[in-house]
Amino acid sequence: LICKAPMLDVDKMIGTLLQARTNQPDGEYIRLPQQDITLLCRTARDIFLAQPTLLELVSPINICGDVHGQYADLLRIFEFGGFPPSSNYLFLGDYVDRGRLGIETICLLLCYKVKYPNNFFLLRGNHECAS
C-alpha cells in the first residue's frame, strides 16, 4: 500500500482567504480545512528553518507590525501597499491575539511566506512563542 502525501495548494488557500475582501470588516470566519492549515504550518516551518536567522533585506520593503488578528486591517495593508509579489514585506510579529480572525490572519501571512519566501518575511513577536 502506497500512501500519497497531501499537497499544499497555496494558491487555492490565498484565493479563499482573499474572498473576505468582499465581506464586511471583521466579517464571517473563513472556513479552511484543518488538514490544509496543518500542511501550511509544516511547509512554512520548513522554509523558516531553511532561511538564515539574520535577514539581510534590500529596499524597497514595506515594514508592518502588530496586526493582532485584525484581518480587515491586514487586507487594507496589502490593498494600499500592493499584494505580494509586487511589493516586498517585513512583518515584525504579533500576528494574533486580539482580533476575531487570528487564524485567517496568520494563514494568509504564512501562505505568502510559502509562495514568496524571498520577498515576504515574518519575524517572531512576543505573541508567537511557545509559552
Side-chain angles (χ1 to χ4, degrees):
L1 181 69
I2 298 175
C3 221
K4 190 174 182 181
M7 296 287 293
L8 176 64
D9 189 346
V10 73
D11 292 322
K12 180 180 177 187
M13 285 187 79
I14 290 171
T16 300
L17 289 161
L18 291 181
Q19 286 177 352
R21 291 189 293 176
T22 60
N23 295 345
Q24 297 294 325
D26 282 334
E28 296 182 21
Y29 294 108
I30 299 165
R31 299 197 189 281
L32 294 170
Q34 182 178 349
Q35 179 180 353
D36 292 353
I37 295 172
T38 301
L39 189 54
L40 173 64
C41 290
R42 288 183 179 152
T43 304
R45 180 183 181 274
D46 292 343
I47 291 169
F48 287 126
L49 290 174
Q51 290 185 327
T53 54
L54 176 63
L55 298 174
E56 295 184 33
L57 307 176
V58 297
S59 62
I61 190 163
N62 295 306
I63 301 173
C64 308
D66 291 18
V67 179
H68 288 292
Q70 301 294 334
Y71 191 65
D73 292 345
L74 177 62
L75 293 176
R76 254 183 257 129
I77 288 170
F78 292 136
E79 287 170 5
F80 289 118
F83 284 86
S86 65
S87 294
N88 301 323
Y89 284 92
L90 170 64
F91 282 86
L92 302 178
D94 295 350
Y95 308 112
V96 299
D97 86 325
R98 293 185 191 147
R100 287 181 357 110
L101 302 177
I103 296 292
E104 291 82 352
T105 299
I106 193 62
C107 283
L108 184 59
L109 292 170
L110 291 177
C111 280
Y112 281 136
K113 180 61 185 174
V114 167
K115 188 165 175 78
Y116 307 109
N118 298 315
N119 300 77
F120 199 88
F121 301 94
L122 301 169
L123 300 182
R124 184 183 65 83
N126 63 307
H127 294 283
E128 292 79 44
C129 64
S131 58

